[in-house]
Amino acid sequence: MIVVMQPTATPTQVAHVVDLIREMGLKDHVIEGTDLTVVAVIGDDRKKDGAKLEQAPGVDRVMKVLQPYKMAARETKRGETTRVTVGADCVFGGRHVPIIAGPCSVEEESKIIEAALAVKSAGAHALRGGAFKPRTNPYSFQGHGEDGLKMLAAARAATGLPIVTEVLTPSDVELVAEYADCLQIGTRNSQNYKLLEACGDQAKPVLLKRGMAMTIDEFLQASEYILAAGNPNVILCERGIRTFEDHTRNTLSLSAVPELHHRTHLPVVIDPSHGTGHARLVPDMARAAIAAGCDGLAIEVHPDPEHALTDGAQSITPQVLNDLMASLQRIAVAVDRTCEPLAAVSG
Ligand code: PEP
Ligand code: MN
């Protein structure tokens, strides 16, 4: 922390601030400028409450310097990006940019297998699909639960694609982890700290979606819960935030990609489906996301979007994904990445 004194602060007020810092078990370094005095707080102050200092007489403001997310912070890894492997060989955070594709929810076994085969042949690297669905309305389809997980496992067996699926509650973490290759924590649960801890206390990687009203700082603190509970394999997913704009379902913050890369070593995935809410906007935003340097995409794809049980309006068809993949591959190359099907990936 840095304590900036008011220009009118007296030496006694500065001395009082120094006393408070020492009481907190930290060291002080007083810097007297020509116009005002600044007191630098030395030591790990992440768990210290700056409020006492803010209220001390003569203090203008207190600025945090060390990030409140120690394990997620980029400095922790000396600039390296963490590689998170989902399934056998789908790696997020390397040169290759994997595409997670599939329907919003798992509807029937034959349909999820059909979708999995279609996204695989279009060039996707992992299959998504919700078995436990977080629905805004309690009367809407809530997903097939464990039966849905079994259907996903059948789709994995049919295609070899690893599975990414959402977990809604700490009591289901063990069950979902039995089937899934990667556990998704959705936007509505991204500050459910008990769920974050429970996902941190199991071995499968976690795709953590950004809360729809979360700042980047809060997003990283949420990821810290999973890391601090013992799971280093966290993938961040920007899926759009709530703003006043209503031409899209959410406002997809693509600047989150370079900003997150600046602040953290964790890989960053973009979800252009929830990020826009409209299938017609998905391909362009997917292309833009790769250009912005994302480490993966999560796209809702449904063979028959008109009859999808959930999120049909934002689901593209396998054919659109297939066409999109060609341009994603070209853009990936332009930004020194690759995006081809996994069999073609070397190194
Ligand atoms: C989903 O991926 O289908 C989903 C519910 O996402 P979000 O939590 O981002 O709304
Ligand atoms: Mn969805």
Side-chain angles (χ1 to χ4, degrees):
M1 281 183 282
I2 289 180
V3 184
V4 182
M5 303 300 296
Q6 292 164 358
T8 51
T10 63
T12 316
Q13 289 172 334
V14 176
H16 179 59
V17 165
V18 166
D19 286 344
L20 287 175
I21 292 169
R22 291 181 186 171
E23 264 173 37
M24 290 162 91
L26 299 163
K27 292 197 178 130
D28 58 278
H29 180 60
V30 179
I31 306 154
E32 281 173 23
T34 41
D35 296 324
L36 43 80
T37 299
V38 161
V39 188
V41 181
I42 299 158
D44 190 349
D45 58 19
R46 273 174 278 221
K47 290 201 179 122
K48 309 286 179 182
D49 181 10
K52 274 202 251 189
L53 293 170
E54 227 152 50
Q55 285 166 6
V59 169
D60 182 46
R61 62 189 188 276
V62 176
M63 286 153 44
K64 283 257 178 201
V65 179
L66 281 180
Q67 309 288 21
Y69 38 86
K70 196 173 176 178
M71 299 179 76
R74 179 160 282 288
E75 306 90 73
T76 312
K77 285 259 181 122
R78 298 180 196 282
E80 249 173 63
T81 298
T82 290
R83 289 176 183 224
V84 178
T85 304
V86 172
D89 54 5
C90 184
V91 181
F92 293 82
R95 192 155 173 264
H96 183 250
V97 183
I99 312 298
I100 306 164
C104 177
S105 45
V106 179
E107 299 173 355
E108 280 172 34
E109 184 169 307
S110 61
K111 286 193 179 175
I112 190 70
I113 292 176
E114 179 196 348
L117 290 167
V119 300
K120 184 177 184 182
S121 93
H125 310 97
L127 176 69
R128 61 147 291 142
F132 293 94
K133 293 303 301 174
R135 304 308 305 282
T136 302
N137 188 306
Y139 307 116
S140 304
F141 173 59
Q142 303 285 315
H144 290 304
E146 185 169 5
D147 287 344
L149 296 174
K150 290 182 177 156
M151 296 174 200
L152 281 167
R156 173 177 48 207
T159 57
L161 292 177
I163 295 166
V164 182
T165 194
E166 181 161 357
V167 59
L168 287 184
T169 177
S171 56
D172 286 339
V173 165
E174 208 177 313
L175 173 73
V176 178
E178 247 175 66
Y179 293 90
D181 297 292
C182 178
L183 273 57
Q184 176 175 320
I185 298 177
T187 195
R188 296 161 185 80
N189 259 323
S190 54
Q191 282 175 307
N192 177 341
Y193 300 116
K194 292 296 159 202
L195 180 62
L196 295 169
E197 282 170 354
C199 288
D201 191 25
Q202 56 80 51
K204 295 283 170 70
V206 178
L207 180 88
L208 174 64
K209 290 195 147 192
R210 178 178 180 179
M212 61 183 91
M214 227 184 203
T215 63
I216 291 279
D217 204 69
E218 289 163 342
F219 190 17
L220 289 169
Q221 291 185 67
S223 75
E224 187 83 5
Y225 269 88
I226 306 171
L227 299 171
N231 188 344
N233 296 311
V234 177
I235 303 165
L236 301 174
C237 178
E238 166 65 59
R239 48 77 72 202
I241 48 174
R242 280 275 169 95
T243 69
F244 57 84
E245 182 54 76
D246 62 3
H247 86 282
T248 47
R249 183 177 176 186
N250 293 288
T251 296
L252 183 61
S253 172
L254 285 183
S255 62
V257 175
E259 183 61 27
L260 285 168
H261 281 155
H262 176 68
R263 295 196 198 194
T264 179
H265 52 85
L266 298 173
V268 180
V269 161
I270 289 289
D271 172 350
S273 309
H274 295 86
T276 61
H278 300 286
R280 69 187 158 78
L281 300 177
V282 168
D284 284 329
M285 295 318 283
R287 284 187 274 264
I290 300 251
C294 72
D295 301 297
L297 289 169
I299 306 180
E300 286 189 338
V301 181
H302 195 288
D304 181 12
E306 282 181 9
H307 297 103
L309 289 183
T310 55
D311 283 350
Q314 67 192 32
S315 300
I316 61 172
T317 61
Q319 184 59 53
V320 171
L321 178 67
N322 188 72
D323 298 345
L324 173 61
M325 286 304 293
S327 60
L328 293 184
Q329 283 156 12
R330 289 199 302 275
I331 294 167
V333 169
V335 293
D336 211 16
R337 310 289 285 270
T338 64
C339 189
E340 68 258 42
L342 271 182
V345 179
S346 58

